[in-house]
Amino acid sequence: MSFVLESNADGTTIVHIGKALDFRNAADFKKLCQDQVRNGVRNFILDFSETGILDSTGLGSIFSLYRQVSPLNGQVVFASVSRPVQVVVQLTRTYKVFRQFPSVDAAHKSLA
Amino acid sequence: MAEHSILVVEDEHTLRRLLEYRLGKLYNVRTAANGEEALVRIKEEVPDLIVSDIMMPRMDGFALQEALQDELDTRIIPFIFLTAKADEQSRLKGLRTGVDDYITKPFDIEQLLTRIARLLERTRLFQTQLDAKIGQDFSQKLMPKTMPEVDGYRIHFHNSPLEHGGGDLFDWTEAKPGIFFFTIGDVMGKGVRAKFYAFSFLAYVRSLLHGLLSESVSPAELMHRINELLMRDDVLVDTFASLLILRWEPATHSITYVNAGHCRPALVHTRGAQLVAHSDMILGLDARTEFIDTTLTLEPDMALMAYTDGLMEQLMPDGKMLGESGILEVAHQAHHQNDPIDALLTHTLALSQSTEFEDDILIFWLERLA
């Protein structure tokens, strides 16, 4: 239940979400992102290529991140959105604030 | 797995390191050389348990223990005294001031470990029981005990909250004679915390609804105000909720709804069931979110079925969730049954080849009779 982080010199952090982001590890995700924001990171790319589970607690932790960085002109974007994640995003209509990209590279290019 | 944190307060360097090493295998250990240092550590992060020496320079164990009594946060930390002072006087003084256990040096480290485990377990049990009790209490308060009764209609409601479930909420009010408002929602998160936020949130929604009714009866306007509130309220910051507000006027058989990212209701009739499609973004994310009212008419023999995500996320044998298509199927099957919700739940469990639901279940069924 850990997340793999990649920080880039341009102030963008890529978080590979892994198999699940749910009530079991949402607090870890939140803390991890808070530390990044404290270190000056403003843009986040969330890689969902392997993600099978995103529950409401997990989604809530992403929303918290969005509320932290958006006043600082930061962005949270989604890459390689898997089918289960897409269902949640559609249901909550949050595709309006989280831009989606087919790959981490594509997301990175757009933020650069 | 280092989940519990322990603060070791001991002035003797060797013993401090020994304890740090031995306890560190099981717990997340921090150390302090005297009471003053301990207070600094506690301010940084409140530990789950304190093991402290009595005789120390600067601030001794008794003074530390006393300082912790000042605040509720620190008063409840389990406290074990560890001391060379084997005399009865110290022991009694310690027990009087709220020390939970007392071990005299030279001590057996296994004995200390057993006592720590026992104290932590007792605290955990107490916390679990308290959580369950509070959770149950909130769950009951979040749900109404009665439903409106209107000629030509039947209304069914079902709610089965789980102890570790989330923040489902439901409420209704007859705003003006013949105009009913229903609110169905889900505050994100799990456990007592989610229930507590759901409870506070519902109180806000209720007061807003009553306050607004003199000027407007638009669900979208109401939703807009609730979102604004979530965006700027300090207590509710970091609270995200999906919410469905329905305004029902039985005289004209109309339902005007606004949906903020909530599970889409089903409209059930003899030919089948369809989704009540339009919805806007979830609450608490963006102050600029626009909400739109949509009106539909309930024809004779038609029912509207609203629910929370526990039903939709029930897992099927193939590992996928029931989903919206599954919802439409079970809702259609339930139509014309004596107790449609009971039929719907039975059918869902049969489909999922399971005997129980994995999450909170909340279903509301509003049917215009044929």
Coordinates of all heavy atoms in Angstrom, one line a residue, chain A residues 11-43:
Chain A
G11 N 9.2 21.3 -10.6 CA 8.1 21.5 -9.6 C 6.9 20.7 -9.8 O 5.8 21.0 -9.2
T12 N 7.1 19.6 -10.5 CA 6.0 18.7 -10.7 C 6.3 17.4 -10.1 O 7.4 16.9 -10.2 CB 5.7 18.4 -12.3 OG1 5.4 19.6 -12.9 CG2 4.6 17.4 -12.5
T13 N 5.3 16.8 -9.4 CA 5.5 15.5 -8.8 C 4.5 14.5 -9.4 O 3.4 14.8 -9.6 CB 5.3 15.6 -7.2 OG1 6.5 16.2 -6.7 CG2 5.2 14.2 -6.6
I14 N 5.1 13.3 -9.7 CA 4.3 12.3 -10.3 C 4.0 11.3 -9.2 O 5.0 10.8 -8.5 CB 5.0 11.6 -11.5 CG1 5.3 12.6 -12.6 CG2 4.1 10.4 -12.0 CD1 6.4 12.2 -13.5
V15 N 2.8 10.9 -8.9 CA 2.5 9.9 -7.9 C 1.9 8.7 -8.6 O 0.8 8.8 -9.2 CB 1.5 10.4 -6.8 CG1 1.3 9.4 -5.7 CG2 1.9 11.8 -6.3
H16 N 2.6 7.6 -8.6 CA 2.0 6.4 -9.1 C 1.1 5.7 -8.0 O 1.6 5.3 -7.0 CB 3.2 5.4 -9.5 CG 4.1 6.0 -10.5 ND1 3.7 6.1 -11.9 CD2 5.3 6.6 -10.4 CE1 4.7 6.7 -12.5 NE2 5.7 7.0 -11.7
I17 N -0.1 5.8 -8.3 CA -1.1 5.4 -7.2 C -1.0 3.9 -6.9 O -1.3 3.5 -5.7 CB -2.5 5.8 -7.6 CG1 -2.6 7.3 -7.8 CG2 -3.6 5.4 -6.6 CD1 -2.4 8.1 -6.6
G18 N -0.7 3.0 -7.8 CA -0.7 1.6 -7.5 C -2.1 1.0 -7.5 O -3.0 1.6 -8.2
K19 N -2.3 -0.1 -6.9 CA -3.5 -0.9 -7.0 C -4.7 -0.2 -6.4 O -5.9 -0.4 -6.9 CB -3.3 -2.3 -6.4 CG -2.3 -3.1 -7.2 CD -2.6 -4.6 -7.1 CE -1.6 -5.5 -7.8 NZ -1.1 -4.9 -9.0
A20 N -4.6 0.5 -5.3 CA -5.7 1.0 -4.6 C -5.4 2.3 -3.9 O -4.4 2.5 -3.4 CB -6.3 0.0 -3.6
L21 N -6.4 3.2 -4.0 CA -6.4 4.4 -3.1 C -7.8 4.4 -2.4 O -8.8 4.7 -3.0 CB -6.2 5.7 -3.9 CG -6.2 7.0 -3.1 CD1 -5.2 7.0 -2.0 CD2 -6.0 8.2 -4.1
D22 N -7.8 4.0 -1.1 CA -9.0 3.9 -0.4 C -8.9 4.2 1.0 O -7.8 4.7 1.4 CB -9.6 2.5 -0.7 CG -8.7 1.3 -0.1 OD1 -7.7 1.7 0.6 OD2 -9.0 0.2 -0.4
F23 N -9.9 3.8 1.8 CA -9.9 4.2 3.3 C -8.6 3.7 4.0 O -8.3 4.2 5.1 CB -11.2 3.8 3.9 CG -11.3 2.3 4.1 CD1 -11.0 1.6 5.2 CD2 -11.8 1.6 3.0 CE1 -11.1 0.3 5.3 CE2 -12.0 0.2 3.1 CZ -11.6 -0.5 4.3
R24 N -8.0 2.7 3.5 CA -6.8 2.1 4.2 C -5.6 2.9 4.0 O -4.8 3.0 4.9 CB -6.6 0.7 3.7 CG -7.6 -0.3 4.3 CD -7.5 -1.6 3.5 NE -8.0 -1.4 2.1 CZ -8.3 -2.4 1.3 NH1 -8.3 -3.7 1.7 NH2 -8.7 -2.2 0.1
N25 N -5.4 3.6 2.8 CA -4.1 4.3 2.6 C -4.3 5.8 2.3 O -3.4 6.5 2.0 CB -3.3 3.6 1.6 CG -4.0 3.5 0.2 OD1 -5.2 3.9 0.1 ND2 -3.3 3.0 -0.8
A26 N -5.6 6.3 2.3 CA -5.9 7.6 2.0 C -5.1 8.6 2.9 O -4.6 9.7 2.4 CB -7.4 7.9 2.0
A27 N -5.0 8.3 4.1 CA -4.3 9.2 5.1 C -2.8 9.3 4.7 O -2.2 10.4 4.8 CB -4.5 8.7 6.5
D28 N -2.2 8.2 4.3 CA -0.8 8.2 3.9 C -0.6 9.1 2.6 O 0.3 9.9 2.5 CB -0.3 6.8 3.5 CG -0.4 5.9 4.7 OD1 -0.4 6.4 5.8 OD2 -0.4 4.6 4.5
F29 N -1.5 8.9 1.7 CA -1.5 9.7 0.5 C -1.6 11.2 0.8 O -0.8 12.0 0.3 CB -2.6 9.3 -0.5 CG -2.8 10.2 -1.7 CD1 -2.0 9.9 -2.8 CD2 -3.7 11.2 -1.7 CE1 -2.1 10.7 -3.9 CE2 -3.8 12.0 -2.9 CZ -3.0 11.7 -4.0
K30 N -2.5 11.5 1.7 CA -2.7 12.9 2.1 C -1.4 13.5 2.7 O -1.0 14.6 2.3 CB -3.8 13.0 3.1 CG -4.7 14.2 3.0 CD -6.0 13.9 3.8 CE -6.6 15.2 4.2 NZ -7.9 15.0 4.8
K31 N -0.8 12.8 3.6 CA 0.4 13.3 4.3 C 1.5 13.5 3.3 O 2.2 14.5 3.3 CB 0.8 12.3 5.3 CG 2.0 12.7 6.1 CD 2.1 12.1 7.5 CE 3.2 12.7 8.3 NZ 4.3 13.1 7.6
L32 N 1.7 12.4 2.4 CA 2.7 12.5 1.4 C 2.6 13.7 0.5 O 3.6 14.4 0.3 CB 2.5 11.2 0.5 CG 3.7 10.7 -0.3 CD1 4.3 9.5 0.4 CD2 3.1 10.3 -1.7
C33 N 1.4 14.0 0.1 CA 1.2 15.2 -0.8 C 1.4 16.5 0.0 O 1.9 17.4 -0.6 CB -0.2 15.1 -1.4 SG -0.4 13.8 -2.5
Q34 N 0.9 16.5 1.2 CA 1.1 17.7 2.0 C 2.6 18.0 2.2 O 3.0 19.2 2.1 CB 0.5 17.5 3.4 CG -0.9 17.9 3.5 CD -1.6 17.4 4.8 OE1 -1.0 16.8 5.6 NE2 -2.9 17.7 4.9
D35 N 3.4 17.0 2.4 CA 4.9 17.2 2.5 C 5.4 17.8 1.2 O 6.3 18.7 1.2 CB 5.6 15.9 2.8 CG 5.3 15.4 4.2 OD1 4.8 16.2 5.0 OD2 5.6 14.3 4.5
Q36 N 4.9 17.3 0.1 CA 5.3 17.8 -1.2 C 5.0 19.3 -1.4 O 5.8 20.1 -1.9 CB 4.7 17.0 -2.4 CG 5.2 15.5 -2.4 CD 6.6 15.4 -3.0 OE1 6.9 16.0 -4.0 NE2 7.4 14.7 -2.3
V37 N 3.7 19.6 -1.0 CA 3.3 21.0 -1.2 C 4.1 21.9 -0.3 O 4.5 23.0 -0.7 CB 1.8 21.1 -0.8 CG1 1.3 22.6 -0.8 CG2 0.9 20.3 -1.8
R38 N 4.4 21.4 0.9 CA 5.3 22.2 1.8 C 6.7 22.4 1.2 O 7.3 23.4 1.4 CB 5.4 21.4 3.1 CG 5.4 22.4 4.3 CD 5.3 21.6 5.6 NE 3.9 21.1 5.8 CZ 3.6 19.9 6.3 NH1 4.6 19.0 6.6 NH2 2.4 19.6 6.5
N39 N 7.1 21.4 0.4 CA 8.4 21.6 -0.2 C 8.4 22.4 -1.5 O 9.3 22.4 -2.3 CB 9.0 20.2 -0.5 CG 9.4 19.5 0.7 OD1 9.7 20.1 1.8 ND2 9.5 18.2 0.7
G40 N 7.2 22.9 -1.8 CA 7.1 23.8 -3.0 C 6.5 23.2 -4.2 O 6.4 23.9 -5.2
V41 N 6.1 22.0 -4.2 CA 5.5 21.4 -5.3 C 4.1 21.9 -5.6 O 3.3 22.1 -4.6 CB 5.4 19.8 -5.2 CG1 4.7 19.2 -6.4 CG2 6.8 19.2 -5.1
R42 N 3.8 22.3 -6.8 CA 2.5 22.9 -7.1 C 1.7 22.0 -8.0 O 0.5 22.0 -8.0 CB 2.6 24.3 -7.7 CG 3.2 25.3 -6.8 CD 2.3 25.6 -5.6 NE 2.9 26.4 -4.6 CZ 3.4 25.9 -3.5 NH1 3.4 24.6 -3.2 NH2 3.9 26.7 -2.6
N43 N 2.4 21.2 -8.9 CA 1.6 20.4 -9.9 C 1.8 18.9 -9.6 O 2.9 18.5 -9.3 CB 2.2 20.7 -11.3 CG 1.8 22.1 -11.7 OD1 0.8 22.7 -11.3 ND2 2.7 22.7 -12.6

